[in-house]
Amino acid sequence: MGSAVERTDEHVREYLIYRGFTNTLKHLDNEIKADKEKGFRVDKIIDQLLQFIQSFDLSGLKEYWLYLDRRLFCRLEDVYRSTVNKLRTSLYRYYVINTIQVIRNLEKTQEFFQKQALELQGQAEWRDWFILPFIPAPEQNPAFSPYFSRQWSDTFLVSLHNFLSVLFQCMHILLPVLLSFDAEVQKTTSLTEENEQLCQMVFALQGESRDQKDGDEMVHHKLPAYVQNMDRLEDTELDLVSSQRVVSTSTPSRNFFSTFLPQGRRTPGKTPQSTAGSSPNQGALGRKEPLTNQVRVRKAAAPKEVKPVPCQSSTSEPPTHLRHKRIQDHEKERKELFSKPPAQVSDEKKGEASDAEAPAEACIDVPDSSAHTRTSGGVGEGGGLSAEQPFIKLSQEEYGEHHSSIMHCRVDCSGRRVASLDVDGVIKVWSFNPIMQTKATIMSKSPLLSLEWATKPDRLLLLGSGVGTVRLYDTDAKKNLYEMNIDETHPRILSLACSPSGSSFVCSAAALSRSGSVESVPRLPIPVSGQLLLWDTKTVKQQLQFSLEPEPVAINCTAFNHNGNLLVTGAADGVIRLFDMQRYESAMSWRAHEGEVYSVEFSYDENTVFSIGEDGKFIQWNIHRCGVKQSEQLLPQDATGPFILSGYSGYKQVQVPRGRLFAFDSEGQHVLTCSSSGGLIYRLTNGDPALESVLSLGGHKAPVVTVDWCSAVDCGTCLTASMDGKIKLSTLLAQKS
């Protein structure tokens, strides 16, 4: 309901500006600022109550609660009056406890009981509380100690939040017509999703019906007599036909679609002895053998007519019958071709292209399982998708508000908003549920190099610049809250990481260095100098500077674990450093990559760390044993960078990795990486030399430079951002085994 009110306010503002009603617009803005209901936003109402409590404004707290009672609570049925009274009692107790915990000044506590004595002295739940100001250590008293615990305060705030949320959800009956559009949008979205699911079910049923029909036709089709007797040919005749077919291998008699079929499903021949002289058509599918054998018999009967022409011309059957049979065979091969995932088809295309370049005498179809990469989404022996396919791509949308290459693209902690930064310094804050919509646009005069969402509250965004400043931006209010000057000698803010507690953030500052052009790829003999700093988000002051051994070096990437007790960093000198955030010191460090470390992340169980470096390696490290590898895989260059976008007339754009290069799913079993045409999802394997590809997201025409993966229940949202400014949002459905 709160989001619907905000959108309605924006639409009303646009209408008033369009009509020129400036005075009305001013009055509207003033009343919105003084709105006590906060646009029906529960979080803002609770923030207002907490502000009164923290400032010890008892009169303001009472007045605001009375307003909520008159405006909202009085509309409830009498059965809920006791719940409202319990919440008010807990709110006052929270105020009293706060006066003792924060300032330990009995004046505010006594002031509360003096002003509320007439109202509270007749209530049984407050009878024992009047002795509270006279107890030396009330937090140790058995009667009051539960109220001083963090568990009680959190439980109260959550209960109040849930009560207000349910209350606003039940108020939809009283909403004006103007606010009902949000429900209509949700209804339309649900109907659209249901329609897509039904279309997919219909398509699947049609495919099954068509396959079953084709199978029935194949069983009951009456073959000519000489084709039915093909199995009775003698070995001498087969050898003769094979020797004649080798001569005509340069002719286009081979079916075009058969080049895309997997080699594992082709018939290698009768015996290894006869394979050397077998024809390419011997590798076709079993259902193609009647037609192939027919061609062999005709040519065996008339060897003098062997010419470099298509095989159909040498048969004596009517042309219409042959054409009908050939169309059926093509249709069957087409179905088997498109029942495979795109990744395996592209691999086989490359394999067939290399086979075509070899001499005709070497074109022998021998099944070789080592020639194919493992793909869990491949086609099994019976055709169709494998049962091991872990994800289904439900949809893919495009966000195209950027006009230059993307540097960073991150989802916030709640999974509701996305922040994306391009090389021109333009930041877009947008949402994708239920519809894709831009919430805020940030233009910066100074170059921006990094961004990170704050954890508490999640509406705040940290922006690191190239002139030594970090800005704290409020995406709801659409304004800068603070601008922190980090260090003039280290002006490039390369990485930002906010602690899960929300009380602090880590900032990596580096000195000026070479640009990210192709000519600057050779590394300097001396690493770029840098600093790693810890800042307090509440006081907006620097807490400390971490010690970087053996020398101060630029930190490219940072990541916290789930509770903020550990921090892992990857530096320009190829070293990974693990910091203990309780002691604020380095716990261990090791040489991880030849060249820079581009991206680091904790694993799902947080017993290991994954990293990608300039050497193109994707390595898993054991954090309990310093420098011990658990696995190591070599990734292609389009997954690790530098990323290159080529154009006409020799134009070439090169971008050094800045954002996140890989992201994990909710269970930590799969990883999303960059590629030249879209994101690639691999299954994490222990100790295997190669990653196991399970899904290619695709959809991009330019190299993908950064990725992110937001998971919720069974559906996950993958973000892939490319050098042409396009961001693809792919919605996946996880298949539980």
Side-chain angles (χ1 to χ4, degrees), residues 48 203 208 312 395 532-533 548 634:
Q48 183 64 56
F203 182 76
E208 293 178 0
Q312 302 92 298
S395 63
L532 187 62
L533 310 172
L548 300 177
L634 188 64

mmCIF file of all heavy atoms in Angstrom, residues 48 203 208 312 395 532-533 548 634:
data_model
loop_
_atom_site.group_PDB
_atom_site.id
_atom_site.type_symbol
_atom_site.label_atom_id
_atom_site.label_comp_id
_atom_site.label_asym_id
_atom_site.label_seq_id
_atom_site.Cartn_x
_atom_site.Cartn_y
_atom_site.Cartn_z
ATOM 1 N N GLN A 48 9.438 7.074 13.141
ATOM 2 C CA GLN A 48 8.976 8.277 13.832
ATOM 3 C C GLN A 48 8.769 8.014 15.321
ATOM 4 O O GLN A 48 9.147 8.832 16.174
ATOM 5 C CB GLN A 48 7.674 8.763 13.191
ATOM 6 C CG GLN A 48 7.123 10.051 13.774
ATOM 7 C CD GLN A 48 8.046 11.233 13.560
ATOM 8 O OE1 GLN A 48 8.402 11.542 12.440
ATOM 9 N NE2 GLN A 48 8.446 11.881 14.641
ATOM 10 N N PHE A 203 2.258 -25.943 -25.223
ATOM 11 C CA PHE A 203 3.336 -26.225 -26.155
ATOM 12 C C PHE A 203 3.980 -27.580 -25.873
ATOM 13 O O PHE A 203 4.280 -28.355 -26.784
ATOM 14 C CB PHE A 203 4.382 -25.119 -26.074
ATOM 15 C CG PHE A 203 5.532 -25.292 -27.030
ATOM 16 C CD1 PHE A 203 5.394 -25.013 -28.371
ATOM 17 C CD2 PHE A 203 6.764 -25.746 -26.563
ATOM 18 C CE1 PHE A 203 6.446 -25.183 -29.242
ATOM 19 C CE2 PHE A 203 7.825 -25.917 -27.425
ATOM 20 C CZ PHE A 203 7.658 -25.626 -28.784
ATOM 21 N N GLU A 208 4.606 -33.416 -27.222
ATOM 22 C CA GLU A 208 4.473 -34.836 -26.904
ATOM 23 C C GLU A 208 3.529 -35.534 -27.869
ATOM 24 O O GLU A 208 3.786 -36.650 -28.327
ATOM 25 C CB GLU A 208 3.978 -34.990 -25.467
ATOM 26 C CG GLU A 208 4.978 -34.537 -24.415
ATOM 27 C CD GLU A 208 4.412 -34.669 -23.018
ATOM 28 O OE1 GLU A 208 3.243 -35.113 -22.902
ATOM 29 O OE2 GLU A 208 5.135 -34.328 -22.061
ATOM 30 N N GLN A 312 19.704 -38.762 -53.961
ATOM 31 C CA GLN A 312 18.330 -38.991 -54.335
ATOM 32 C C GLN A 312 18.194 -39.257 -55.831
ATOM 33 O O GLN A 312 17.310 -39.957 -56.288
ATOM 34 C CB GLN A 312 17.459 -37.778 -53.978
ATOM 35 C CG GLN A 312 17.482 -37.418 -52.499
ATOM 36 C CD GLN A 312 18.549 -36.411 -52.214
ATOM 37 O OE1 GLN A 312 19.723 -36.719 -52.430
ATOM 38 N NE2 GLN A 312 18.166 -35.250 -51.739
ATOM 39 N N SER A 395 11.999 -16.333 -17.872
ATOM 40 C CA SER A 395 11.871 -15.114 -18.672
ATOM 41 C C SER A 395 13.192 -14.363 -18.644
ATOM 42 O O SER A 395 14.061 -14.626 -17.807
ATOM 43 C CB SER A 395 10.745 -14.223 -18.140
ATOM 44 O OG SER A 395 11.037 -13.776 -16.818
ATOM 45 N N LEU A 532 43.450 0.599 3.027
ATOM 46 C CA LEU A 532 42.206 -0.072 3.377
ATOM 47 C C LEU A 532 41.722 0.533 4.692
ATOM 48 O O LEU A 532 42.386 0.397 5.724
ATOM 49 C CB LEU A 532 42.414 -1.578 3.517
ATOM 50 C CG LEU A 532 41.150 -2.408 3.728
ATOM 51 C CD1 LEU A 532 40.216 -2.280 2.534
ATOM 52 C CD2 LEU A 532 41.491 -3.875 3.977
ATOM 53 N N LEU A 533 40.568 1.214 4.639
ATOM 54 C CA LEU A 533 40.087 2.005 5.762
ATOM 55 C C LEU A 533 38.739 1.489 6.237
ATOM 56 O O LEU A 533 37.957 0.947 5.452
ATOM 57 C CB LEU A 533 39.954 3.481 5.364
ATOM 58 C CG LEU A 533 41.177 4.108 4.680
ATOM 59 C CD1 LEU A 533 40.835 5.497 4.183
ATOM 60 C CD2 LEU A 533 42.354 4.156 5.638
ATOM 61 N N LEU A 548 48.595 -3.311 5.723
ATOM 62 C CA LEU A 548 48.739 -4.142 4.537
ATOM 63 C C LEU A 548 50.200 -4.555 4.409
ATOM 64 O O LEU A 548 51.064 -3.731 4.130
ATOM 65 C CB LEU A 548 48.277 -3.377 3.285
ATOM 66 C CG LEU A 548 46.823 -2.901 3.283
ATOM 67 C CD1 LEU A 548 46.523 -2.105 2.024
ATOM 68 C CD2 LEU A 548 45.871 -4.087 3.396
ATOM 69 N N LEU A 634 40.459 -23.209 -15.011
ATOM 70 C CA LEU A 634 40.875 -22.160 -15.929
ATOM 71 C C LEU A 634 39.660 -21.678 -16.703
ATOM 72 O O LEU A 634 38.974 -22.468 -17.357
ATOM 73 C CB LEU A 634 41.947 -22.681 -16.891
ATOM 74 C CG LEU A 634 42.619 -21.622 -17.787
ATOM 75 C CD1 LEU A 634 43.389 -20.621 -16.935
ATOM 76 C CD2 LEU A 634 43.557 -22.289 -18.792
#
